Amino acid sequence: MQQKKLVMGITGTNGAGKGTVVDYLIKKKGFKHFSASGLITEELIKKNRPVNRDNMILMGNELRAKNGANYLARELLRRASKEKANSIIESIRTPGEVEELKKNNGILIAVEANQRLRYERNLKRGSAKDKVSFEEFVAQEKQEMVSDDPNKQNLSACKKAADYVIENNGTIDELNQKVNELLIKIIKDVK
């Protein structure tokens, strides 16, 4: 019997380890990757705007306001539907995106970690969007956690809607082991 194609979304706060989970699924499990940040970055470049965290949030909100609260997930799911392989959608950030993912039989995984640890991870990552003080990091996160506007990020609601949660306060090897164990469980659950 052929295994059903998995479509998984991933949500979580900045620096929680979403990208590490995605890397593991791509490199070790053959998943195809579809990135909301990548889609937003494409739009920023088209509009000749600097690629930084604040502009990415604003552009994501603009795209949702113009095309619907589920737009980013809808577009990434459209791209993923053309693949034969399992797919991972990174990063689900609004209830509308969660709804779109689940409407398309997707599974949502939330990744969480200690705030200070996440900030330190971001500093090590060193991308342009991560060059902020701890205070700015905390303020940005607060802005992303809850919103009554369906077009704006609401990570708290996304985490609550997650099918599975991975705690990532340890090493990359420990995280990879948790992802592998979770993937085995998901495969059993969808049969």
Side-chain angles (χ1 to χ4, degrees), residues 29-43:
K29 301 298 179 180
F31 275 67
K32 294 293 181 183
H33 176 225
F34 300 90
S35 167
S37 292
L39 184 59
I40 292 168
T41 298
E42 289 171 21
E43 291 297 319

Side-chain angles (χ1 to χ4, degrees), residues 16-139:
K18 297 179 301 294
T20 304
V21 171
V22 168
D23 287 346
Y24 178 81
L25 291 173
I26 293 167
K27 292 174 184 165
K28 300 292 185 187
K29 301 298 179 180
F31 275 67
K32 294 293 181 183
H33 176 225
F34 300 90
S35 167
S37 292
L39 184 59
I40 292 168
T41 298
E42 289 171 21
E43 291 297 319
L44 285 171
I45 291 168
K46 278 185 207 172
K47 296 185 185 299
N48 203 25
R49 294 188 196 168
V51 177
N52 59 47
R53 187 155 183 78
D54 288 337
N55 280 345
M56 291 185 77
I57 291 168
L58 291 171
M59 179 56 71
N61 294 346
E62 285 176 30
L63 289 169
R64 290 184 203 100
K66 180 180 176 186
N67 302 296
N70 64 350
Y71 171 72
L72 295 173
R74 190 175 70 237
E75 174 58 22
L76 295 173
L77 285 162
R78 183 189 68 73
R79 294 177 185 188
S81 71
K82 297 176 181 179
E83 295 292 334
K84 288 183 171 47
N86 294 329
S87 298
I88 182 75
I89 309 288
E90 179 193 19
S91 147
I92 303 295
R93 297 194 163 272
T94 68
E97 293 167 359
V98 171
E99 194 175 298
E100 187 69 21
L101 177 73
K102 291 190 175 197
K103 182 174 85 175
N104 287 277
N105 300 311
I107 297 163
L108 183 61
I109 298 169
V111 183
E112 58 183 30
N114 170 280
Q115 188 177 53
R116 179 58 78 168
L117 178 60
R118 290 186 289 104
Y119 175 70
E120 290 167 7
R121 287 175 179 161
N122 282 5
L123 288 180
K124 287 180 188 170
R125 187 166 56 190
S127 76
K129 68 180 184 175
D130 295 321
K131 292 179 182 173
V132 296
S133 70
F134 181 69
E135 292 73 22
E136 290 170 307
F137 178 84
V138 170

Side-chain angles (χ1 to χ4, degrees), residues 12-14 53-54 57 61 93 115 118 132-148 152-157:
T13 48
N14 192 11
R53 187 155 183 78
D54 288 337
I57 291 168
N61 294 346
R93 297 194 163 272
Q115 188 177 53
R118 290 186 289 104
V132 296
S133 70
F134 181 69
E135 292 73 22
E136 290 170 307
F137 178 84
V138 170
Q140 287 172 344
E141 184 167 288
K142 186 176 179 183
Q143 192 177 18
E144 297 171 1
M145 290 305 287
V146 180
S147 178
D148 292 332
K152 292 187 177 174
Q153 296 184 38
N154 188 337
L155 294 179
S156 180

